[in-house]
Amino acid sequence: MTSLFDPIQLGAIKAPNRILMAPMTRARGTRGHVPTPIMVDYYAQRASAGLIISEAIGINQLGLGWPYATGLWLPEQIAGWRKVTDAVHEAGGRIIAQLWQMGRVVHPSFLDGGQPVSASATTAPSQAHTYDGKKPYEEARALSVDEIAEIVQHFRDGAKNAMEAGFDGVQLHAANGYLIDQFLRDSSNFRDDQYGGSIENRVRFLRETTQAVVDTIGADRTGVRLSPNGETQGVKDSDPLPVFIAAAEALSEIGIAHLELREPPLTGTFGVGDMDPLASQLRSAFKGPLILNSDFDMARAQAELSAGIGDAVAFGRPFISNPDMPYRLAEGIPLAPDDATTWFTQGPEGYIDYPAAAQAVAKSA
């Protein structure tokens, strides 16, 4: 029986266990989107994860609309991330960069008043996080075909820069209502050209960006994240299963190293699916390692690995307050709770001050 503690080959990366660290935005960069010294400590503390998938990292200013998030398009950003990856490797870990283009959920204040972009002229619901508090989203304009090609090139450049920064690979963020997801699903894509209408056309942008990254750094260092089973940031599909079967088959054909599915359950604690997770139905469409994500505890994670639904599980919030999470799970040590009020603050509190289990015991003795 496959165990969470068994090693797994994820393309070029040999992970010593199947307890992966999911990508989580934590807002600890600078306004210039450069990683800070506390980020070096944060990621190194969590190096025992089978694989760390970094927080989402912007590929260009047009697509980065989160305060204090980081980028990978400027030399100083690459150099800042190099300090992080060096520290993770020195601690015995493995880390890949999640590449991010947010599309319509970029507020114009991040663009000096310019207009955000998307598959079609649509507006995200709710409000954006900005440097001046929450503000309503504004309508995005539809990308031209030439502009789509430019963004594909930006993903290619982002992958190249990630490798220069010392990452072991990349993951394309094609989930959670961001730009690639805005092309995939019919609530946000109303195009009538080669990027809209049919499922094949809506998958085209995902296929092109993935192929560009694969051509740049190799399929064995490329992963993708999808979110099939529900609405996120106003993006959903009227019939998601065939869309995501087609997407998984396209990615399998390209030969990427791994596919992550973020699928909150119907009773999730952070995001709720519109339907049960589709992983079991997508399993046969993707021939490589399948990573499951969202609201897993150890028992559910082990059960789904044992059932053959997935090959590894990416844990998010538990890694915030449990930097040595694989050790705690292996030893049956209860997980420490996290403080949600510090998720997106800029200081060390709630970021690098959660102790490892042994430190916690010594401190209480």
Side-chain angles (χ1 to χ4, degrees):
M1 180 182 74
T2 300
S3 164
L4 283 168
F5 305 102
D6 290 339
I8 182 172
Q9 195 72 37
L10 298 170
I13 300 169
K14 184 170 184 178
N17 60 65
R18 297 170 188 238
I19 303 165
L20 312 188
M21 179 173 159
M24 292 178 288
T25 295
R26 300 299 310 279
R28 259 64 178 198
T30 70
R31 282 201 179 208
H33 309 299
V34 177
T36 54
I38 58 173
M39 292 175 60
V40 176
D41 294 338
Y42 170 76
Y43 281 103
Q45 287 172 352
R46 289 151 180 82
S48 63
L51 173 66
I52 295 172
I53 307 172
S54 81
E55 63 199 69
I57 307 174
I59 57 169
N60 57 25
Q61 184 61 71
L62 179 65
L64 185 55
W66 190 277
Y68 303 104
T70 62
L72 264 175
W73 68 86
L74 295 174
E76 55 266 36
Q77 296 165 349
I78 297 169
W81 273 112
R82 185 77 204 205
K83 295 175 183 176
V84 174
T85 61
D86 283 350
V88 170
H89 293 148
E90 288 170 8
R94 300 134 299 277
I95 183 170
I96 62 174
Q98 188 188 65
L99 302 183
W100 201 19
Q101 218 290 0
M102 295 172 65
R104 72 180 192 176
V105 290
V106 175
H107 190 270
S109 62
F110 291 92
L111 307 174
D112 294 326
Q115 191 174 10
V117 299
S118 187
S120 300
T122 60
T123 305
S126 190
Q127 294 183 308
H129 292 272
T130 78
Y131 288 114
D132 299 312
K134 289 188 176 182
K135 294 185 177 182
Y137 289 109
E138 298 186 17
E139 185 178 72
R141 62 175 179 82
L143 286 160
S144 70
V145 171
D146 287 344
E147 288 175 317
I148 291 171
E150 291 175 4
I151 290 177
V152 171
Q153 181 61 46
H154 290 157
F155 273 102
R156 187 192 303 271
D157 294 341
K160 177 178 176 293
N161 292 342
M163 300 309 289
E164 184 180 340
F167 285 98
D168 298 299
V170 306
Q171 181 192 70
L172 278 75
H173 198 341
N176 298 16
Y178 297 120
L179 184 63
I180 298 177
D181 205 20
Q182 291 161 28
F183 274 83
L184 279 175
R185 301 205 259 182
D186 62 14
S187 74
S188 51
N189 186 341
F190 306 117
R191 303 178 72 97
D192 57 7
D193 62 5
Q194 65 265 44
Y195 291 97
S198 69
I199 289 174
E200 178 183 3
N201 283 355
R202 284 184 278 137
V203 171
R204 189 182 307 276
F205 183 50
L206 169 65
R207 182 191 286 273
E208 289 180 352
T209 53
T210 305
Q211 189 65 61
V213 169
V214 164
D215 291 345
T216 303
I217 66 170
D220 62 347
R221 296 194 181 275
T222 302
V224 171
R225 182 186 234 208
L226 299 172
S227 51
N229 79 319
E231 176 270 333
T232 310
Q233 302 191 100
V235 174
K236 60 182 179 180
D237 198 87
S238 60
D239 190 12
L241 183 58
V243 174
F244 287 97
I245 286 176
E249 288 176 344
L251 296 171
S252 190
E253 181 182 332
I254 292 171
I256 63 170
H258 42 84
L259 173 62
E260 182 192 10
L261 302 179
R262 181 190 180 272
E263 296 195 281
L266 294 174
T267 56
T269 61
F270 189 66
V272 178
D274 291 344
M275 61 190 71
D276 287 326
L278 301 178
S280 61
Q281 298 175 76
L282 297 174
R283 169 79 272 188
S284 62
F286 183 72
K287 306 306 180 186
L290 190 64
I291 301 167
L292 308 179
N293 171 258
S294 201
D295 266 303
F296 279 87
D297 57 19
M298 184 176 176
R300 179 175 166 232
Q302 184 58 63
E304 299 212 9
L305 260 61
S306 299
I309 297 172
D311 301 295
V313 176
F315 297 86
R317 286 164 291 146
F319 262 110
I320 291 176
S321 50
N322 298 276
D324 57 343
M325 186 175 170
Y327 172 76
R328 290 180 187 242
L329 293 182
E331 298 298 321
I333 299 171
L335 297 182
D338 66 288
D339 179 3
T341 66
T342 61
W343 284 357
F344 307 124
T345 51
Q346 279 66 70
E349 183 182 359
Y351 191 62
I352 59 172
D353 57 352
Y354 289 109
Q359 295 170 322
V361 170
K363 187 175 181 180
S364 63

